[in-house]
């Protein structure tokens, strides 16, 4: 019979791409990981990983097992959580994914108050891209994501808006655009832009705006870190679209004749997953800090 420790070993190798990294994640030895994988392959009668040099890749059988193993482990974790939470206590580990920007600018007061109110909760916070956190919640790796919500609704996850986050065009005070009075989107295309990477929700918002006006962006650089973009804009390397909260003495807001949509920052939870007492308490703390 396949047990959860064996499936956990399989998931750890699949997600890290390394037997040694999987061993570190599960706090066991590498030989123990190898033994569990060998046992699982024997039980299933199929090879799950191709080992070519130092590369570890899922076979077709491994790719087929991956979503099923993830679901089994999530169901077992939910069952244990549901039984534990019958006591009404707010304890245990809470795995949260959040973006660096939200983690720096929105979460600190929430985390400070929550840790004071619920000292027995172990916060396991992963600072990753919003899109990666979204996927982590979807696949059961994270219990909750505090992220930039996608512009288009996705009913695979339950999402709630916590903060409105207006976006603005900005550049350095010495940039040529700072001296232009009537700025159109077409004017912006004549200058280099520094924007978040193409896979981000924020980049999608900007691209859709320019696409609606049949204009092509002139993108010089991309990075996922908004603070890095802010720095590059502040030294005059290009214009950008960033949250209004990032306007300071080193950058100026541009009065463009087309308004930008607001970003929505909020929380995402898997609708099929039992919500722990810790998650419920954290959600209440978020809502108290928001709109």
């Amino acid at each position: 019979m396949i047990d959860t420790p064996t499936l956990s070993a399989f998931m750890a190798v699949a997600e890290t791409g390394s037997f040694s990294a999987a061993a570190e994640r599960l706090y066991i030895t590498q030989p123990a990981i190898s033994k569990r994988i060998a046992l699982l392959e024997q039980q299933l009668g199929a090879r799950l990983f191709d080992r070519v040099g130092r590369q570890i890749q899922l076979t077709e059988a491994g790719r087929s097992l991956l979503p099923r193993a993830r679901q089994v482990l999530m169901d077992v974790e939910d069952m244990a959580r549901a039984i534990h939470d019958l006591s009404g206590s707010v304890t245990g580990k809470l795995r949260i994914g959040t973006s660096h920007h939200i983690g720096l600018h929105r979460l600190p007061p929430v985390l400070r108050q929550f840790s004071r109110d619920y000292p027995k909760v172990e916060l396991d916070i992963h600072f990753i891209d919003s899109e990666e956190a979204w996927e982590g919640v979807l696949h059961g790796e994270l219990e909750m994501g505090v992220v930039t919500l996608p512009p288009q609704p996705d009913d695979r996850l339950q999402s709630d808006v916590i903060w409105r986050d207006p976006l603005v065009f900005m550049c350095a005070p010495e940039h040529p655009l700072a001296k232009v009075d009537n700025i159109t989107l077409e004017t912006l295309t004549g200058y280099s832009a520094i924007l978040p990477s193409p896979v981000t929700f924020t980049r999608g918002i900007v691209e859709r705006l320019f696409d609606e006006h049949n204009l092509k962006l002139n993108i010089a650089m991309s990075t996922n870190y908004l603070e890095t973009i802010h720095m590059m804009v502040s030294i005059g390397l290009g214009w950008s679209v960033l949250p209004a909260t990032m306007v300071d003495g080193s950058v100026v807001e541009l009065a463009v004749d087309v308004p930008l949509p607001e970003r929505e920052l909020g929380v995402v939870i898997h609708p099929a997953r039992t919500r722990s007492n810790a998650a419920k308490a954290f959600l209440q703390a978020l809502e108290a800090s928001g709109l």
Side-chain angles (χ1 to χ4, degrees):
M1 179 178 292
I2 300 173
D3 56 22
T4 53
T6 302
L7 288 179
S8 295
F10 167 74
M11 288 296 302
V13 175
E15 290 172 356
T16 64
S18 164
F19 279 64
S20 59
E24 290 178 8
R25 175 185 288 192
L26 298 179
Y27 302 104
I28 59 177
T29 64
Q30 185 171 332
I33 288 285
S34 299
K35 184 176 180 180
R36 291 183 187 182
I37 297 301
L39 176 61
L40 184 58
E41 290 178 330
Q42 181 182 358
Q43 290 174 319
L44 295 175
R47 180 178 289 276
L48 300 174
F49 296 99
D50 283 330
R51 304 162 180 84
V52 182
R54 295 185 177 181
Q55 298 295 317
I56 304 294
Q57 296 180 334
L58 286 165
T59 63
E60 184 176 353
R63 289 192 296 271
S64 178
L65 176 61
L66 187 63
R68 293 171 172 83
R70 183 179 284 123
Q71 186 63 50
V72 168
L73 292 173
M74 189 169 73
D75 288 345
V76 169
E77 185 175 336
D78 280 354
M79 178 178 63
R81 182 186 299 112
I83 298 301
H84 176 269
D85 285 351
L86 290 175
S87 65
S89 60
V90 183
T91 59
K93 178 181 288 189
L94 178 59
R95 290 197 300 274
I96 300 171
T98 190
S99 71
H100 294 84
H101 181 74
I102 294 175
L104 283 172
H105 298 279
R106 301 284 186 170
L107 277 187
V110 178
L111 294 172
R112 184 184 301 111
Q113 189 60 50
F114 183 83
S115 62
R116 290 174 180 172
D117 292 342
Y118 304 102
K120 293 184 178 179
V121 175
E122 179 186 350
L123 287 170
D124 181 13
I125 304 174
H126 299 252
F127 292 94
I128 50 182
D129 294 340
S130 287
E131 297 72 25
E132 188 179 351
W134 179 277
E135 291 294 326
V137 174
L138 182 63
H139 296 306
E141 299 153 10
L142 300 168
E143 186 171 355
M144 179 184 295
V146 186
V147 299
T148 301
L149 300 178
Q152 303 301 321
D154 186 336
D155 58 8
R156 292 177 298 171
L157 294 181
Q158 175 187 332
S159 61
D160 295 294
V161 178
I162 303 297
W163 304 284
R164 303 287 181 186
D165 197 34
L167 295 170
V168 299
F169 295 97
M170 62 179 69
C171 70
E174 65 273 15
H175 190 281
L177 282 171
K179 301 174 179 62
V180 179
D181 294 327
N182 300 310
I183 301 177
T184 65
L185 291 182
E186 188 173 6
T187 302
L188 291 176
T189 62
Y191 297 87
S192 297
I194 305 171
L195 295 174
S197 68
V199 299
T200 62
F201 296 143
T202 303
R203 173 72 166 267
I205 290 172
V206 179
E207 288 184 338
R208 268 188 295 276
L209 179 63
F210 279 77
D211 287 344
E212 288 169 1
H213 291 79
N214 298 313
L215 295 171
K216 184 175 179 59
L217 284 158
N218 177 13
I219 300 172
M221 287 178 279
S222 297
T223 177
N224 288 7
Y225 299 105
L226 301 190
E227 285 70 26
T228 302
I229 294 175
H230 180 274
M231 179 274 294
M232 290 192 289
V233 169
S234 72
I235 60 177
L237 299 183
W239 63 267
S240 189
V241 171
L242 292 172
T245 53
M246 300 187 77
V247 175
D248 56 19
S250 65
V251 296
V252 294
E253 181 177 349
L254 296 173
V256 180
D257 64 353
V258 178
L260 279 162
E262 280 188 330
R263 291 199 315 174
E264 293 181 334
L265 311 180
V267 60
V268 291
I269 297 174
H270 201 296
R273 185 167 191 168
T274 302
R275 196 175 301 176
S276 67
N277 288 347
K280 293 175 185 176
F282 194 80
L283 182 57
Q284 290 176 348
L286 284 171
E287 290 173 342
S289 72
L291 301 175

